[in-house]
Amino acid sequence: MRIIAKLLNMSVEDLVFSGISPFIDRINRRDPKAWGERKKNIVDYLNNIALLEGSSIRVKKDEVGWGLFLCEQMINDPYCIDVSQLARVAPFFAGIGARWEYSCRVKGITEKIDEIVLKSKEDPDGKLFEILVALSYASMGWDVEFLKECPPNKSPDIVARKGGGKELYIECKRMQRQSTYSVKERIEFLNLWEHARNALNIGGQWVWFKGEFFNPMESYKRTFIANSIKKLPKNISREIVLYEDESARILARPIDVDLVRRHLSKNYVKNNSPALMKLLGGDWVSLDEGVTLMLDADYVAHSACNIPLLDAYVGDIKWACGFTRNLCSPESIKRKARDFKKLLVDAIKQLPDGKESVVHIAAETLDGYEVEKLRTTQVVDMLSRFNTHGKIGAVMFHRFQSHLSIERLWDFDETVDKFNTNNFVLSEIPSRVVVPNEEEMREGWHWM
């Protein structure tokens, strides 16, 4: 059974606040100034880095602190945020906040939060997922307990109990946010784009490009995009095809400069925001696709946060161009689909023999429709033939996606594929772990 639940950021500030408060409280538990010091370190880091074109603003040394900081900024100073990073992290804390009233039924949740804010601050995603799963079971009437890790012995993450002697052992696994190949592929594209910089600057035209790449990115010469751009007419006035064969297709069209300047005369637009992408790229920009910008612009600040990287609004643009990319080679799609068989095998090793068990696996759907279509086919086929050795009653495959939005700071989808492997009663386990239980659900997948 496939279920989609959708969470919009309409009046969710209270949910986000409820979700981040337990983490900040634990940071401050010994020293009331601890969170303030941690925030200062984040601000100092942001004010001492240069943002390279195409790179994201991210504090990797304190990933959980960075997420808490962004959520707190969303509540207290929404002008001073990074839109794309907030869109990814806020829904998970909102999901925790939506079920925090049930935390009293989760034994060991305080210790789990301590692990996240102190020991796993560089890589909190897996343990945050465990908290989301635990709270979801608690919201359905289960008494939940986090089980302590005792290496080298194997044990599941959670045990849940209900009246009548019901007992479930639960193992949680979360994939990395992006595959290694996806990151490598993006870097390869940016290398090609960097080589095109001179060709773009020399022309000085306001142009938006759209490209489809049918081969692996590493197969293209570094000058591939630059050589295509050299074919650009001096005064482009309409959509044209710059390059087209079995390896790639690159289109170009002029940006409506008058429209952009009229808009900017009445509005400030946040730098690197969905609104800026849409203003320049129009219907060639899908907010979930890869977009790269070049700008010569003047910026203004809108808040008193004193973090220029987060508080940069475009006041005027002297020149702009951009590229929407679709990296769609069959090899790329196959490598990014990342079959979850290894995670399932690892989960089974953690589960006790002779006990009813459930596995929850999570992935983020950042690579688009074709990748998720192939991943779904692989998962369904694998589970139809996979021998769980009687250890698993059900497998729940959660797929998450935060969408950039112009109307809202973010919106969020959760799709859940349910697999009943041993005639398990699926109605007794959570159908979603991030989106609140009362939100509407529908059949299908959110990427279709």
Side-chain angles (χ1 to χ4, degrees):
M1 185 179 183
R2 300 163 186 95
I3 296 174
I4 302 173
K6 191 172 186 68
L7 173 62
L8 301 179
N9 75 320
M10 300 168 65
S11 304
V12 297
E13 287 84 0
D14 288 344
L15 293 182
V16 172
F17 180 78
S18 295
I20 66 174
S21 293
F23 293 82
I24 294 173
D25 288 347
R26 294 306 297 172
I27 292 172
N28 286 335
R29 70 191 184 283
R30 293 194 182 98
D31 180 359
K33 298 180 180 179
W35 174 234
E37 287 297 318
R38 201 147 158 182
K39 283 196 295 183
K40 182 179 181 300
N41 291 336
I42 291 170
V43 172
D44 289 346
Y45 172 81
L46 293 173
N47 285 336
N48 283 284
I49 62 170
L51 181 63
L52 301 176
E53 184 179 308
S55 64
S56 62
I57 302 171
R58 189 172 161 197
V59 185
K60 294 183 179 180
K61 289 186 177 180
D62 189 1
E63 192 84 44
V64 68
W66 172 230
L68 294 169
F69 173 82
L70 285 171
C71 289
E72 197 173 71
Q73 287 295 109
M74 183 195 92
I75 296 167
N76 298 329
D77 190 0
Y79 286 113
C80 190
I81 57 171
D82 179 83
V83 176
S84 62
Q85 291 287 307
L86 174 72
R88 181 187 175 269
V89 71
F92 298 112
F93 284 109
I96 291 171
R99 300 178 179 86
W100 189 250
E101 62 182 297
Y102 304 102
S103 61
C104 58
R105 304 191 72 153
V106 183
K107 184 179 179 181
I109 195 167
T110 299
E111 291 77 7
K112 184 62 65 173
I113 291 174
D114 286 346
E115 286 182 40
I116 293 171
V117 298
L118 297 175
K119 298 179 182 178
S120 302
K121 62 182 183 179
E122 293 183 27
D123 186 19
D125 290 352
K127 287 182 169 56
L128 284 173
F129 181 55
E130 292 174 25
I131 287 178
L132 286 161
V133 171
L135 288 171
S136 294
Y137 276 86
S139 72
M140 294 184 67
W142 293 86
D143 293 310
V144 182
E145 179 181 356
F146 282 109
L147 299 175
K148 292 184 179 179
E149 297 179 9
C150 300
N153 297 323
K154 302 289 187 180
S155 65
D157 297 310
I158 297 166
V159 61
R161 300 179 178 94
K162 244 183 184 181
K166 292 181 182 178
E167 186 176 70
L168 274 182
Y169 286 86
I170 302 157
E171 179 66 16
C172 305
K173 296 290 184 185
R174 181 162 177 173
M175 295 182 183
Q176 294 180 354
R177 65 177 70 181
Q178 280 188 298
S179 66
T180 302
Y181 184 76
S182 184
V183 174
K184 175 186 174 183
E185 189 178 53
R186 178 175 175 274
I187 292 171
E188 292 284 352
F189 171 82
L190 292 175
N191 286 334
L192 269 64
W193 181 243
E194 178 64 25
H195 276 75
R197 182 185 294 274
N198 288 338
L200 288 164
N201 285 339
I202 291 170
Q205 297 190 79
W206 293 48
V207 184
W208 198 275
F209 303 91
K210 181 168 69 171
E212 295 178 286
F213 297 86
F214 307 123
N215 292 337
M217 289 308 299
E218 60 267 25
S219 68
Y220 297 94
K221 292 182 179 179
R222 288 287 182 264
T223 56
F224 179 75
I225 293 177
N227 289 339
S228 299
I229 289 173
K230 288 176 182 178
K231 302 173 185 176
L232 193 69
K234 286 187 177 180
N235 294 297
I236 183 172
S237 60
R238 60 182 177 81
E239 178 183 324
I240 62 171
V241 178
L242 289 179
Y243 186 94
E244 185 169 27
D245 65 10
E246 68 281 355
S247 69
R249 185 170 188 257
I250 299 178
L251 307 177
R253 73 181 184 190
I255 295 171
D256 189 334
V257 181
D258 289 338
L259 182 150
V260 172
R261 287 187 167 149
R262 283 198 306 272
H263 185 85
L264 291 176
S265 70
K266 301 175 182 178
N267 306 276
Y268 287 121
V269 179
K270 190 168 181 62
N271 191 36
N272 290 327
S273 68
L276 180 61
M277 308 293 186
K278 276 291 188 183
L279 178 62
L280 295 170
D283 62 0
W284 276 13
V285 171
S286 169
L287 297 180
D288 290 331
E289 285 185 311
V291 175
T292 304
L293 283 177
M294 285 188 190
L295 286 180
D296 181 4
D298 294 326
Y299 300 98
V300 296
H302 258 323
S303 83
C305 71
N306 297 318
I307 311 173
L309 281 179
L310 301 186
D311 190 24
Y313 287 78
V314 177
D316 181 49
I317 299 177
K318 301 178 182 67
W319 170 78
C321 71
F323 199 114
T324 300
R325 64 186 181 271
N326 181 13
L327 314 182
C328 52
S329 78
E331 177 64 20
S332 169
I333 292 168
K334 181 178 178 181
R335 294 181 71 170
K336 288 186 288 190
R338 294 179 297 157
D339 188 340
F340 79 172
K341 182 176 180 179
K342 183 180 184 302
L343 284 181
L344 183 59
V345 171
D346 290 344
I348 290 173
K349 291 177 182 178
Q350 304 292 118
L351 297 172
D353 293 324
K355 303 288 186 180
E356 282 197 320
S357 301
V358 178
V359 171
H360 289 263
I361 297 178
E364 293 186 59
T365 58
L366 301 178
D367 292 314
Y369 166 75
E370 292 296 337
V371 171
E372 293 310 319
K373 179 181 175 182
L374 178 58
R375 195 203 309 262
T376 300
T377 300
Q378 291 175 342
V379 169
V380 172
D381 180 64
M382 187 267 288
L383 282 171
S384 68
R385 298 179 288 103
F386 192 77
N387 185 358
T388 67
H389 303 287
K391 280 192 171 185
I392 302 177
V395 177
M396 309 291 285
F397 187 23
H398 305 262
R399 277 179 279 187
F400 307 133
Q401 183 152 1
S402 297
H403 303 279
L404 294 177
S405 171
I406 295 175
E407 294 81 12
R408 299 172 290 273
L409 285 175
W410 47 268
D411 64 38
F412 182 86
D413 287 321
E414 176 177 0
T415 290
V416 185
D417 288 289
K418 297 183 175 185
F419 301 97
N420 189 335
T421 61
N422 282 310
N423 297 317
F424 196 82
V425 181
L426 293 178
S427 61
E428 295 188 348
I429 58 178
S431 59
R432 58 277 198 49
V433 300
V434 178
V435 175
N437 295 342
E438 61 272 15
E439 292 292 332
E440 182 182 352
M441 307 174 74
R442 67 176 176 86
E443 294 288 332
W445 294 288
H446 67 251
W447 53 87
M448 294 182 68

